[in-house]
Amino acid sequence: MAGDVSGKRVLVTASSRGIGFNIARELLIRGARVTINSRNPENLSRALEKLERYGVAHGVRGDLRKREDLEKLLSTSWKLMNGIDALVWNAPNVSCEPCFLHEANYDDWVEAALIHSVAPGYLSSLLVERWLRERTNGTIIYLSSASVKEPMPPLVLADVSRAGLIQLAKGLSRNYGKKGIRAYAVLLGSFDTPGARKNLLEVSRIKGEPFGETWKREVLNRTPLHRTGKWEELGSLLTFLLSRDAEYLLGSTLLMDGAMTRAVML
Ligand SMILES: NC(=O)c1ccc[n+]([C@@H]2O[C@H](COP(=O)([O-])OP(=O)(O)OC[C@H]3O[C@@H](n4cnc5c(N)ncnc54)[C@H](OP(=O)(O)O)[C@@H]3O)[C@@H](O)[C@H]2O)c1
């Protein structure tokens, strides 16, 4: 896949481990400058140490559920990188996951809305306002999940709340595309992360079966490829979307799930 991110200044949220961390590493390898973020300062320092050998990475501590942290995340990242060319929005997991509808309380719903709707929406408002003020181009990629297309019951809170990211990508692109501001949504299938393993460990505990059986059924056997997504594959897709080569895909939602979902149309 084509594309070039060398020299681009990219903020990747929720990135001390898992999907966010691996995206940061892939972008660094391809020559971008990256700011990562998480709540926990020790996790953030450990992640920065691991990223050091790949390129220039900065870290900003911040809880994506808090308004003041979102504002600080943006202003500090802008200062550290002397601008922001792109945001890769990656969300944390809702604390109660795996969490069925009948198990969720009011606070769980509020947390899901803060994480998957308010935070990406507000960060987008702040960033687009800044890009317009500075008269610069910018790109936002909203990472979401294939389960938005084909629901998975234990992820219902997240999926209801992040379904709107498809709207955000299209609406933002239609409104600001002529100013060089682009957005995309990417619906991900399964990636091998600490978060995914934690969720499935809980499922295996509830079902009373060995973890390996749960992983095989819920992850590997759901695609004809019998594997999870590779970080290089995701890195290549994001590199392409961040580059001008993807301009005419403006506002699109892409599905990267190894044909895990059965439905044909997006
Ligand atoms: N893995 C998959 O197969 C898959 C597939 C589709 C979609 N997703 C979605 O992708 C997202 C990331 O999943 P993952 O598997 O990479 O999770 P993960 O391995 O648990 O990593 C989560 C990251 O979020 C950070 N974090 C947690 N709470 C935070 C908060 N309030 N503010 C800022 N950062 C916070 C964590 O760092 P600290 O603990 O240091 O704060 C960590 O860096 C989730 O929304 C998940 O639903 C995952």
Side-chain angles (χ1 to χ4, degrees):
M1 205 173 289
D4 180 15
V5 285
S6 50
K8 274 202 193 299
R9 299 157 296 182
V10 188
L11 168 60
V12 185
T13 54
S15 38
S16 65
R17 61 175 180 271
I19 290 176
F21 172 82
N22 284 285
I23 285 171
R25 196 195 55 223
E26 290 299 319
L27 294 177
L28 283 172
I29 290 169
R30 291 163 169 81
R33 190 166 161 185
V34 170
T35 297
I36 60 167
N37 139 268
S38 92
R39 276 167 318 182
N40 181 308
E42 286 86 40
N43 292 349
L44 203 55
S45 319
R46 263 198 300 274
L48 281 172
E49 263 169 45
K50 288 186 203 155
L51 292 176
E52 224 168 45
R53 55 191 281 241
Y54 299 103
V56 182
H58 310 275
V60 180
R61 201 212 67 80
D63 186 334
L64 295 167
R65 298 167 298 186
K66 295 188 176 153
R67 174 183 170 168
E68 58 277 18
D69 286 17
L70 292 171
E71 291 167 353
K72 200 191 85 194
L73 173 61
L74 211 68
S75 57
T76 311
S77 306
W78 194 284
K79 269 194 206 119
L80 284 168
M81 299 192 288
N82 196 26
I84 297 176
D85 299 303
L87 164 68
V88 177
W89 166 258
N90 174 55
N93 296 291
V94 181
S95 312
C96 70
E97 277 175 11
C99 179
F100 287 88
L101 186 67
H102 67 276
E103 296 167 333
N105 62 34
Y106 182 81
D107 291 341
D108 296 327
W109 277 107
V110 171
E111 193 197 21
L114 283 174
I115 284 176
H116 289 292
S117 177
V118 176
Y122 187 48
L123 268 186
S124 302
S125 295
L126 293 172
L127 202 47
V128 170
E129 189 278 329
R130 186 84 192 246
W131 282 334
L132 291 175
R133 192 155 33 96
E134 309 264 346
R135 295 173 188 274
T136 52
N137 298 341
T139 310
I140 301 182
I141 298 174
Y142 302 106
L143 298 180
S144 177
S145 170
S147 51
V148 160
K149 187 170 150 72
E150 221 168 75
M152 291 183 195
L155 301 178
V156 61
L157 277 76
D159 288 335
V160 167
S161 315
R162 64 188 160 196
L165 295 176
I166 294 173
Q167 271 283 335
L168 193 53
K170 180 73 88 168
L172 189 157
S173 296
R174 286 193 56 82
N175 231 353
Y176 306 105
K178 57 182 170 296
K179 307 262 186 199
I181 298 173
R182 299 182 279 131
Y184 306 93
V186 180
L187 311 185
L188 300 174
S190 288
F191 284 80
D192 192 348
T193 64
R197 283 182 174 264
K198 183 175 158 281
N199 265 353
L200 286 170
L201 196 63
E202 184 58 14
V203 172
S204 76
R205 194 192 59 76
I206 292 164
K207 286 195 177 287
E209 64 186 9
F211 175 77
E213 249 176 59
T214 313
W215 186 259
K216 200 169 166 192
R217 187 186 59 248
E218 302 288 338
V219 177
L220 304 181
N221 288 355
R222 292 183 69 217
T223 99
L225 302 176
H226 294 278
R227 67 168 173 89
T228 52
K230 293 180 188 164
W231 300 121
E232 311 87 81
E233 293 171 323
L234 185 53
S236 296
L237 176 64
L238 297 192
T239 298
F240 173 64
L241 291 178
L242 291 175
S243 70
R244 283 295 287 275
D245 296 352
E247 191 175 59
Y248 204 63
L249 273 175
L250 184 69
S252 300
T253 293
L254 292 93
L255 180 64
M256 186 186 212
D257 73 340
M260 176 192 279
T261 46
R262 288 163 194 267
V264 180
M265 305 289 284
L266 195 61

